[in-house]
């Protein structure tokens, strides 16, 4: 049995990570807080150990330096081996020496060592050797010795004082200090980490959780009143996010309500259109019967009846045509523009109404467009121009509309210019908006909206280039600039060119 197809919600879910990582923001914040706290504690341990060891070694150096003063006050400037051993043992060192005038002088020489001691120079330590010295002591093995070189204190005047001491006691004290340090670091980092975590969780995570919950509930049910995010009144980014989400939810609710009303209106219009067709059929039959009568009054009123019927059919057809879910995708190909303009002018009834078309396009010129959609665009533009000219009050000159074609690189620019009254300034901003772009009461305002939608479907656009009392110019931009159509060869009766 085949597995069921995944739902859209399952497709939207991110894939499972290869390694475990907590998914919630609060859990991630806790994990990162622990990691950073541990990292801060670990970074604080080496400097503290290095400072402790340097102080311990300096204390041993001062004790050895003080013990080295005994021979200076002894008879003959010498002490016995037993006294020297006691002095060294009391100072915790096994050897003391000084350097004066470039000569190294052993004051308390001590016994011969089996292992060469490692050197710690306290006079000028670089940071790396200073940090590495405690770990060298801790992991250098048992039974080792450390040779310490330091500047003399208040007891002697020399270039430096040198002692050699066993590192066993230093190692024990370092280890004890390390455990204390880790304990203190754990307590401090835990406390500081807890404060940081709780503060960030209170000021950042909780507000983000409220915003996320509101978004999820709104997506599940936009009509749910509880889906609104509570506003905290903050002035930072969180407060701005809450305010913007609240505005977005209000706008979306209004858009959804408007869409529902439009859907209901569309359904009602479809039903009305069905009934309207029957009414118009009856009215047309009655109109034909009235036309057969020879009554002058009937003949005078009949054109107004026909115009009213035409407007009713046009209104219902335009609304239903715009109410379609989506225009079909265009299938562009080279189309002779002059022939397309002539066919559109015939449908727009230019010659019948006294408005003429001037085509300034060679018969071979072509544009790259879908033939049917190009016809609809040109017919809408020519019809709008004709109706604007016909409804102009006080007009004495005949109406004219001209069509021309120019090339701009790989773009075809079709210009339609009329000598009508122009587009009023108050209508220009919403000229291409459906149901709002016309200033005539008998127009639906859908022609230009449909024409621009078709042009943009081709990857081009339809714009109002200029308008004024002398007329208006619309520009139709279409991608592509196909070459002119090849000329047809003429043949004679004998078949020769």
């Amino acid at each position: 049995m085949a597995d069921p197809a995944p739902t859209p919600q399952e497709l939207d879910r991110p894939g499972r990570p290869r390694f475990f990582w907590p998914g919630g923001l609060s859990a991630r914040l806790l994990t990162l807080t622990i990691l950073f706290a541990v990292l801060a504690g670990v970074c604080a341990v080496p400097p503290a150990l290095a400072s402790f060891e340097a102080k311990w070694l300096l204390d041993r150096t001062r004790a050895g330096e003080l013990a080295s003063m005994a021979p200076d006050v002894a008879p003959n400037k010498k002490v016995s081996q037993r006294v020297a051993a006691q002095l060294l043992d009391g100072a915790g060192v096994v050897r003391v020496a000084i350097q004066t005038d470039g000569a190294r002088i052993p004051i308390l020489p001590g016994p011969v060592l089996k292992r060469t001691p490692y050197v710690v120079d306290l006079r000028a330590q670089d940071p790396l050797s200073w940090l590495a010295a405690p770990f060298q002591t801790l992991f250098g093995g048992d039974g080792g010795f450390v040779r310490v070189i330091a500047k003399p204190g208040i007891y002697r005047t020399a270039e430096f004082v040198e002692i050699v001491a066993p590192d066993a006691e230093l190692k024990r004290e370092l280890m004890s200090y390390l455990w204390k340090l880790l304990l203190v670091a754990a307590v401090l980092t835990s406390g500081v980490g807890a404060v940081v975590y709780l503060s960030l969780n209170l000021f950042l995570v909780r507000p983000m959780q409220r915003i996320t919950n509101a978004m999820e509930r709104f997506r599940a049910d936009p009509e749910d009143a509880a889906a609104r995010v509570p506003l905290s009144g903050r002035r930072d980014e969180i407060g701005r996010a809450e305010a913007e989400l609240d505005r977005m939810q209000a706008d979306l609710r209004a858009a959804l309500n408007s869409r529902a009303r439009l859907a209901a209106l569309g359904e009602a219009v479809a039903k009305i259109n069905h009934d309207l067709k029957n009414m118009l059929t009856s009215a047309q039959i009655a109109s034909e019967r009235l036309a057969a009568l020879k009554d002058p009054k009937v003949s005078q009123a009949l054109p107004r009846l026909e115009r009213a019927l035409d407007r009713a059919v046009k209104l219902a057809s335009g609304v239903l045509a715009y109410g379609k879910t989506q225009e079909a995708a265009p299938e562009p190909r080279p189309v002779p523009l002059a022939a397309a303009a002539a066919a559109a002018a015939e449908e727009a009834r230019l010659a019948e109404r006294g408005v003429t078309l001037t085509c300034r396009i060679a018969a071979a010129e072509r544009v790259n467009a879908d033939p049917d959609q190009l016809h609809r665009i040109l017919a809408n533009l020519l019809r709008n121009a004709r109706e604007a000219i016909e409804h102009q009050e006080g007009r004495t000159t005949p109406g004219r509309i001209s069509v021309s074609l120019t090339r701009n690189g790989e773009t075809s620019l079709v210009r339609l210019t009329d000598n009508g009254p122009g587009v009023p300034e108050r209508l220009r901003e919403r000229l291409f908006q459906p149901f709002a772009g016309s200033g005539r009461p008998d127009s639906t305002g859908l022609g230009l909206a449909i024409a621009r939608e078709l042009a943009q479907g081709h990857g081009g656009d339809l714009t109002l280039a200029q308008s004024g009392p002398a007329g208006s110019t619309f520009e139709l931009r279409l991608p592509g600039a196909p070459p002119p159509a090849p000329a047809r060869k003429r043949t004679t009766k004998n078949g020769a060119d």
Side-chain angles (χ1 to χ4, degrees):
M1 183 177 180
D3 295 335
T7 62
Q9 290 80 6
E10 292 174 346
L11 293 176
D12 291 341
R13 293 175 184 170
R16 179 175 296 178
R18 182 176 301 176
F19 302 102
F20 171 76
W21 182 254
L25 185 60
S26 180
R28 294 192 179 194
L29 177 61
L30 177 60
T31 303
L32 291 176
T33 302
I34 294 174
L35 291 177
F36 289 146
V38 171
L39 181 61
V42 169
C43 292
V45 166
L49 285 179
S51 298
F52 179 83
E53 183 183 73
K55 182 178 181 303
W56 191 91
L57 294 177
L58 187 60
D59 291 342
R60 286 293 183 274
T61 304
R62 294 294 175 255
E65 182 183 0
L66 180 60
S68 68
M69 299 296 296
D72 293 341
V73 297
N76 300 324
K77 304 293 183 179
K78 290 183 180 181
V79 295
S80 62
Q81 293 183 356
R82 183 176 62 82
V83 175
Q86 291 177 350
L87 291 173
L88 292 173
D89 186 62
V93 299
V94 297
R95 185 179 299 172
V96 179
I98 63 172
Q99 179 165 322
T100 303
D101 297 331
R104 182 176 176 275
I105 304 172
I107 305 299
L108 299 173
V112 179
L113 304 178
K114 297 180 179 180
R115 295 178 57 181
T116 302
Y118 60 90
V119 180
V120 176
D121 193 343
L122 298 178
R123 294 174 299 174
Q125 276 187 303
D126 60 90
L128 291 180
S129 62
W130 179 68
L131 292 173
F135 299 98
Q136 184 179 8
T137 302
L138 290 173
F139 304 106
D142 298 331
F145 293 87
V146 56
R147 178 188 172 193
V148 184
I149 302 175
K151 294 180 179 179
I154 60 175
Y155 307 111
R156 285 193 174 276
T157 302
E159 296 178 6
F160 63 78
V161 177
E162 174 188 317
I163 66 165
V164 176
D167 63 355
E169 184 179 357
L170 174 60
K171 186 179 298 185
R172 288 192 301 269
E173 294 192 14
L174 273 176
M175 187 60 67
S176 176
Y177 182 73
L178 176 60
W179 285 114
K180 295 178 182 179
L181 188 63
L182 292 177
L183 179 61
V184 173
V187 173
L188 291 178
T189 53
S190 299
V192 174
V195 172
V196 171
Y197 168 74
L198 293 176
S199 301
L200 293 178
N201 195 67
L202 177 63
F203 290 103
L204 295 180
V205 178
R206 291 295 179 86
M208 289 302 301
Q209 289 176 345
R210 290 196 298 268
I211 294 175
T212 304
N213 292 335
M215 294 172 65
E216 292 175 347
R217 297 188 65 174
F218 182 80
R219 180 185 180 188
D221 184 9
E223 301 298 331
D224 185 6
R228 180 180 177 184
V229 58
L231 299 179
S232 61
R234 295 170 56 169
R235 298 184 179 181
D236 54 6
E237 286 75 5
I238 296 293
R240 291 168 55 190
E242 293 172 348
E244 291 300 325
L245 177 59
D246 184 67
R247 295 191 190 99
M248 183 187 68
Q249 289 179 340
D251 294 342
L252 285 177
R253 286 194 182 97
L256 290 175
N257 292 334
S258 177
R259 185 175 180 180
R261 290 195 297 269
L262 288 177
L265 177 62
E267 184 177 356
V269 169
K271 295 178 181 179
I272 293 173
N273 183 70
H274 181 270
D275 298 334
L276 184 61
K277 287 182 179 179
N278 298 330
M279 298 177 188
L280 293 177
T281 300
S282 301
Q284 287 175 347
I285 294 174
S287 173
E288 292 174 356
R289 291 178 179 177
L290 290 175
L293 300 177
K294 301 303 182 181
D295 191 341
K297 294 183 178 180
V298 173
S299 301
Q300 183 180 1
L302 190 60
R304 287 183 292 176
L305 176 62
E306 291 178 348
R307 287 195 297 270
L309 292 175
D310 289 340
R311 285 197 297 269
V313 172
K314 177 177 159 184
L315 175 62
S317 301
V319 172
L320 289 178
Y322 188 78
K324 293 181 180 179
T325 56
Q326 188 177 5
E327 292 286 348
E331 298 179 0
R333 59 177 179 268
V335 179
L337 183 58
E346 182 178 357
E347 179 175 330
R349 296 184 294 180
L350 296 188
E352 297 178 5
R353 302 287 179 164
V355 180
T356 59
L357 174 68
T358 303
C359 187
R360 301 174 180 175
I361 307 171
E365 292 292 340
R366 300 183 295 177
V367 294
N368 198 35
D370 185 289
D372 294 335
Q373 296 189 8
L374 178 62
H375 177 80
R376 293 173 60 188
I377 296 173
L378 295 177
N380 279 325
L381 291 173
L382 294 175
R383 185 182 300 110
N384 280 0
R386 174 182 62 79
E387 293 176 352
I389 292 174
E390 290 175 351
H391 287 80
Q392 186 177 8
E393 297 181 358
R395 185 178 184 87
T396 57
T397 58
R400 295 187 304 275
I401 304 175
S402 64
V403 182
S404 61
L405 173 66
T406 58
R407 306 289 189 185
N408 186 8
E410 292 298 321
T411 301
S412 299
L413 186 63
V414 183
R415 298 172 64 92
L416 290 92
T417 304
D418 62 67
N419 62 345
V423 179
E425 186 71 27
R426 59 185 176 84
L427 296 179
R428 293 181 185 179
E429 294 183 357
R430 50 190 176 92
L431 184 62
F432 296 97
Q433 296 180 7
F435 307 106
S438 176
R440 299 189 304 274
D442 61 341
S443 177
T444 61
L446 291 174
L448 291 178
I450 294 174
R452 188 176 200 181
E453 182 180 353
L454 295 175
Q456 292 177 346
H458 283 75
D461 200 1
L462 176 64
T463 58
L464 176 65
Q466 59 183 12
S467 183
S472 303
T473 300
F474 286 86
E475 290 184 348
L476 172 63
R477 291 193 299 274
L478 295 172
R488 295 182 179 180
K489 296 182 179 180
R490 297 181 179 181
T491 57
T492 62
K493 294 182 179 180
N494 297 331
D497 291 342

